């Protein structure tokens, strides 16, 4: 087996080592990159305004005739984008919640802010409702609920329907006795 194929076969396995350090463990270099200032940075990242105002300008014969404001959504804040802004992976950011109770609190707060933005932007129609539902169900433990009335209510049945039901019941009972 060539060295190149050996590298490919072990490249992404759990416990793969780089020098003396093992990937995917809390004591690796990425985990050691944690700083207390990230608590403030995560809230700052997720608290950015959800929208911005742009203007649609209409010109007639080279002159501005109207300027209409349009509300445009900013990029949806994700933990992947936050991690990329710090130069680490989203898994590393999640691992930091196990290292620091303070960061765990701020991570949970950022998740709440994210859900709040998702909800308000979906309600106003600025986010695609199908994706908003997908995001809420898969990343925020929201449930797609339906209420079903299971109470049986008596329904008035006319004589012809009663007779039909009785005939069907007799046939079914007769078939069951024969079997």
């Amino acid at each position: 087996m060539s060295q190149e194929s050996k590298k490919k076969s072990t490249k992404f396995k759990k416990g793969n080592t780089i020098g003396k350090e093992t990937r995917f463990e809390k004591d690796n270099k990425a985990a050691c990159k944690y700083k207390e200032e990230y608590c403030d940075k995560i809230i700052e990242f997720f608290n950015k305004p959800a929208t911005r105002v742009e203007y649609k300008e209409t010109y007639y014969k080279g002159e501005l005739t109207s300027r209409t404001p349009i509300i445009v959504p900013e990029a949806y804040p994700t933990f992947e984008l936050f991690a990329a802004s710090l130069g680490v992976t989203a898994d590393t950011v999640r691992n930091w919640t196990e290292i620091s109770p303070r960061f765990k609190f701020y991570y949970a707060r950022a998740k709440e802010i994210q859900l709040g933005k998702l909800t308000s932007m979906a309600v106003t129609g600025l986010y695609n409702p199908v994706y908003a539902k997908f995001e809420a169900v898969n990343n925020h433990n929201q449930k797609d609920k339906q209420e079903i009335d299971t109470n049986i209510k008596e329904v008035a049945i006319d004589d012809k329907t009663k007779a039909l039901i009785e005939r069907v019941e007799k046939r079914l009972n007769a078939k069951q006795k024969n079997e």
Side-chain angles (χ1 to χ4, degrees):
M1 185 184 275
S2 71
Q3 262 191 329
E4 190 174 306
S5 62
K6 281 183 184 178
K7 284 182 184 177
K8 285 183 183 177
S9 65
T10 60
K11 189 171 184 182
F12 294 106
K13 289 184 181 175
K14 188 171 184 171
N16 191 13
T17 59
I18 302 174
K20 293 182 180 179
E21 298 184 21
T22 304
R23 289 186 191 174
F24 307 114
E25 290 183 2
K26 292 178 194 170
D27 295 331
N28 69 10
K29 286 184 180 178
C32 295
K33 285 185 178 181
Y34 173 73
K35 299 175 186 168
E36 283 295 316
E37 67 192 48
Y38 293 158
C39 294
D40 295 329
K41 282 191 174 194
I42 195 168
I43 297 302
E44 182 182 310
F45 181 84
F46 282 87
N47 255 343
K48 291 178 184 170
T51 59
R52 68 179 186 278
V53 178
E54 292 183 359
Y55 293 92
K56 179 182 176 188
E57 296 176 342
T58 307
Y59 292 88
Y60 181 73
K61 294 184 180 181
E63 290 188 31
L64 180 65
T65 56
S66 69
R67 196 164 187 239
T68 309
I70 300 170
I71 298 174
V72 180
E74 289 289 347
Y76 179 65
T78 64
F79 290 96
E80 290 78 11
L81 290 173
F82 173 69
S85 74
L86 299 177
V88 296
T89 66
D91 287 336
T92 298
V93 172
R94 277 189 289 280
N95 286 339
W96 291 344
T97 63
E98 296 172 19
I99 293 171
S100 168
R102 183 170 178 245
F103 187 77
K104 184 176 185 174
F105 171 79
Y106 282 96
Y107 184 92
R109 183 70 189 117
K111 198 157 183 83
E112 289 173 351
I113 294 168
Q114 185 185 43
L115 177 59
K117 280 187 180 187
L118 176 71
T119 304
S120 65
M121 298 299 280
V123 168
T124 59
L126 292 173
Y127 283 170
N128 180 318
V130 175
Y131 180 75
K133 178 181 174 183
F134 173 82
E135 178 77 16
V137 169
N138 289 293
N139 294 328
H140 294 283
N141 299 322
Q142 302 292 302
K143 292 184 174 86
D144 188 12
K145 294 190 223 176
Q146 288 183 341
E147 290 187 24
I148 300 171
D149 186 8
T150 57
N151 295 330
I152 299 172
K153 298 175 184 168
E154 291 200 25
V155 180
I157 301 174
D158 62 354
D159 291 335
K160 283 185 178 180
T161 307
K162 274 186 184 178
L164 176 64
I165 291 171
E166 289 171 4
R167 283 195 311 260
V168 171
E169 284 178 346
K170 283 181 188 177
R171 285 184 186 167
L172 288 173
N173 289 335
K175 283 184 181 180
Q176 287 177 353
K177 286 180 185 177
N178 292 336
E179 292 176 356

